[in-house]
Amino acid sequence: MHAYQLAKRCNEKRVMAESVRWGERGARINSISPGVIITPLAIDEFNGPRGDFYKNMFAKCPAGRPGTADEVANVAELLMSDRGAFITGTDVLIDGGATASYFYGPLRP
């Protein structure tokens, strides 16, 4: 898990740094970090040995549920549209508040 967390943090910093270089060319760069999104793989996870872990996580995070592909697509649409023209060099965390719950809420270890 620590390697995953480190890799995610490095990606956030890479996007931030690259936004400076790409900005010189008139481009924007951002990334999206989705949490658990309903997919066939996620459904297998919910019904597998770690299913109770996921059910507990959803019960204790602000959204109270996993996300959908459409919700991630909505964020991507914003970032790529004129409405997101001032957004660059950032990572958008779209996890229904699960990460916040680990740091500040009922999922805190």
Side-chain angles (χ1 to χ4, degrees):
M1 184 59 121
H2 292 292
Y4 175 79
Q5 291 168 331
L6 183 60
K8 292 299 287 181
R9 183 68 172 150
C10 289
N11 187 61
E12 291 171 12
K13 292 300 183 184
R14 180 186 60 83
V15 166
M16 189 180 291
E18 287 295 316
S19 72
V20 175
R21 284 190 337 122
W22 284 93
E24 293 170 355
R25 301 176 189 178
R28 295 181 292 119
I29 182 170
N30 296 291
S31 61
I32 299 171
S33 292
V36 178
I37 303 301
I38 296 295
T39 63
L41 177 61
I43 292 169
D44 286 346
E45 289 285 329
F46 299 149
N47 296 320
R50 293 178 44 116
D52 288 342
F53 167 83
Y54 289 109
K55 289 171 188 158
N56 179 60
M57 180 178 67
F58 297 133
K60 294 181 178 176
C61 76
R65 62 175 179 79
T68 67
D70 285 344
E71 289 170 319
V72 176
N74 289 338
V75 172
E77 179 183 25
L78 168 67
L79 292 174
M80 291 186 279
S81 73
D82 289 339
R83 292 177 298 146
F86 199 59
I87 304 170
T88 191
T90 194
D91 177 76
V92 179
L93 176 62
I94 175 173
D95 71 350
T99 299
S101 289
Y102 274 103
F103 284 104
Y104 307 106
L107 293 174
R108 187 169 53 205

